[in-house]
């Protein structure tokens, strides 16, 4: 296998224009080091196949690996996550692998984005499974730092993004988006120039990150990716694991409420209150759902329109037992 790989590398190199060969050689050497995790502190290799993924627990090692990739003329795709990966994450990693030469995934349950009353300690974790799923989806590196590695001393700096952070989730979880923006700013600073992939399932988070990247001029292209759903419409989420059997069935009410709301708009409804009240009624008709909000906003800045027009986003949030779930759908008129 090793010599076949060597032969194919030689063939590939020989097929290149001579001016492209040094960059190719540098990339091949970097890829080889990545797959072996040789002699680098904070890096081990995982997985069984040719595409063994490098598991990195030191932020400096992560930064250096991605710098080496770019120095070899290759592009970086970055998928930040809190782990417990599912098909939604896998779709982000696959898209990054289709669009970029090297794909890095971070797995870090960020304490800053959990309020004291929230589920930080209970948040599901399974690093072995995450590494296997990341590798199978096309990732080359997984950064999994400890909390001490990410935050060696209490953070004196907080990044907060006004306006888009304030309503919806921000109103329910007042410290949440500052925690997200702070960790994402740090992760993007470590990753360097790249394309960064985030799911539209967390639509407000995506808006916050887009604004953060624009305001602070990060050299990053933010790519929003469509929500991946179960066959009955439930949006994939690491928190779905908290649902009991009955709650799992009940949770499909979120998608039904959004779909009804979209249909109303498509049928000509232009009063946001009518659409909002209808989604409220659908969610409240489910006894296991405890509604947090249902809202229609302008997709660009998440502001509340007086009359519905242009690109809109319908967003809902509700609790089902231990699980607090959010979802959204877009409609343009
Ligand atoms: O969406 C998530 O998983 C997290 O909020 C993120 C963006 C990785 C920051 O911790």
């Amino acid at each position: 296998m090793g010599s076949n790989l060597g032969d194919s590398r030689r063939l590939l190199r020989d097929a290149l224009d001579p001016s492209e060969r040094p960059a190719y050689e540098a990339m091949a050497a970097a890829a080889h080091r990545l797959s072996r995790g040789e002699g680098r502190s904070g890096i081990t290799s995982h997985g069984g196949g040719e595409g063994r993924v490098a598991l990195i627990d030191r932020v400096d090692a992560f930064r250096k690996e991605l710098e080496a990739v770019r120095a070899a003329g290759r592009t970086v795709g970055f998928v930040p996550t809190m782990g417990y990966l599912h098909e939604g994450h896998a779709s982000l990693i696959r898209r990054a692998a289709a669009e970029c030469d090297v794909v890095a995934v971070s797995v870090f349950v960020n304490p800053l984005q959990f309020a004291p009353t929230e589920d930080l300690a209970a948040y599901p974790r399974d690093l072995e499974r995450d590494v296997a799923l990341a590798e199978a989806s096309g990732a080359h590196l997984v950064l999994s730092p400890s909390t001490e590695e990410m935050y060696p001393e209490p953070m004196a700096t907080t990044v907060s993004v006004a306006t888009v952070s304030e309503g919806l989730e921000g109103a329910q979880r007042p410290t949440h988006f500052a925690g997200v923006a702070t960790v994402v700013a740090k992760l993007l600073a470590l990753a360097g120039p790249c394309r960064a992939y985030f799911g539209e399932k967390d639509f407000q988070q995506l808006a916050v990150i887009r604004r953060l990247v624009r305001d602070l001029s990060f050299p990053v292209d933010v790519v929003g990716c469509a929500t991946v759903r179960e066959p009955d419409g439930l949006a994939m989420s690491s928190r779905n694991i908290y649902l009991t059997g009955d709650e799992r069935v009940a949770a499909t009410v979120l998608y039904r409420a959004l779909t009804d709301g979209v249909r109303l708009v498509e049928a000509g409804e232009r009063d946001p209150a009518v659409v909002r009240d209808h989604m409220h009624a659908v969610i409240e008709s489910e006894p296991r759902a405890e509604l947090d909000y249902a809202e229609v906003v302008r997709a660009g800045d998440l502001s509340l329109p007086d009359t519905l027009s242009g690109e809109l986003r319908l967003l809902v949030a509700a609790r089902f037992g231990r699980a607090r779930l959010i979802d959204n759908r877009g409609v343009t008129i």
Side-chain angles (χ1 to χ4, degrees):
M1 202 55 159
S3 75
N4 286 347
L5 189 63
D7 289 347
S8 64
R9 283 207 183 120
R10 262 190 299 282
L11 278 172
L12 267 173
R13 184 199 53 208
D14 293 347
L16 289 172
D17 184 277
S19 66
E20 293 173 331
R21 286 181 193 157
Y24 176 80
E25 294 289 4
M27 177 59 197
H32 185 65
R33 286 190 299 111
L34 279 178
S35 71
R36 299 283 303 269
E38 273 171 359
R40 291 164 301 153
S41 97
I43 305 180
T44 52
S45 62
H46 268 243
E50 284 294 346
R52 293 205 303 174
V53 78
L55 179 58
I56 305 181
D57 58 15
R58 299 282 161 73
V59 294
D60 279 348
F62 178 71
R63 189 203 302 271
K64 283 187 189 129
E65 288 305 321
L66 295 186
E67 277 168 3
V69 167
R70 280 186 298 269
R74 299 287 148 157
T75 57
V76 172
F78 181 32
V79 183
T81 80
M82 294 210 302
Y84 215 70
L85 304 185
H86 49 67
E87 181 50 32
H89 297 110
S91 75
L92 303 182
I93 299 169
R94 282 197 297 270
R95 171 132 179 224
E99 296 178 355
C100 309
D101 298 320
V102 171
V103 177
V105 174
S106 63
V107 172
F108 178 62
V109 182
N110 171 38
L112 300 184
Q113 67 193 75
F114 290 78
T117 51
E118 292 178 347
D119 56 351
L120 172 63
Y123 196 84
R125 292 162 169 85
D126 188 343
L127 184 60
E128 282 299 313
R129 193 174 142 274
D130 289 345
V131 172
L133 194 142
E135 181 185 18
S137 310
H140 304 89
L141 288 87
V142 174
L143 169 68
S144 170
S146 64
T147 305
E148 296 69 36
E149 175 69 8
M150 277 295 273
Y151 304 127
E153 49 188 331
M155 290 285 277
T157 304
T158 300
V159 180
S160 68
V161 181
T163 61
V164 280
S165 289
E166 282 156 18
L168 305 163
E169 285 302 286
Q172 302 286 322
R173 308 174 69 194
T175 57
H176 174 67
F177 284 122
V180 171
T182 303
V183 79
V184 169
K186 191 166 169 111
L187 288 167
L188 295 182
L190 291 167
C194 64
R195 283 166 74 76
Y197 295 79
F198 297 90
E200 283 186 350
K201 212 272 279 161
D202 297 299
F203 193 78
Q204 191 175 10
Q205 167 175 284
L206 179 59
V208 168
I209 292 168
R210 284 192 194 285
R211 190 62 203 252
L212 155 80
V213 163
R214 208 163 70 227
D215 283 357
L216 298 184
S217 305
F218 277 96
V220 170
D221 286 333
V222 176
V223 184
C225 303
T227 302
V228 179
R229 299 182 180 281
E230 303 284 0
D232 61 6
L234 181 70
M236 293 211 181
S237 163
S238 306
R239 289 189 166 96
N240 291 351
I241 185 128
Y242 298 143
L243 296 167
T244 63
D246 289 345
E247 289 161 0
R248 168 67 188 76
V249 175
T252 57
V253 75
L254 295 182
Y255 186 66
R256 287 202 304 282
L258 290 167
T259 304
D260 270 20
V262 167
R263 279 200 199 113
L264 271 180
V265 177
E266 284 174 345
E269 183 56 62
R270 295 295 174 259
D271 183 348
V274 171
V275 179
R276 186 179 54 228
D277 291 350
H278 184 78
M279 293 194 293
H280 271 221
V282 173
I283 296 173
E284 281 172 340
S285 72
E286 169 48 64
R288 288 191 169 78
E290 204 184 309
L291 175 71
D292 268 353
Y293 61 79
E295 201 49 272
V296 193
V297 299
R298 295 191 184 93
D301 60 4
L302 309 192
S303 61
L304 297 171
D306 294 331
T307 303
L308 298 178
S309 68
E311 212 185 317
L312 302 164
R313 207 79 191 181
L314 283 59
L315 301 104
V316 294
R319 279 178 195 284
F320 300 84
R322 271 182 72 203
R324 182 174 180 282
L325 304 182
I326 60 174
D327 198 358
N328 66 84
R329 285 193 65 185
V331 59
T332 303
I333 46 177

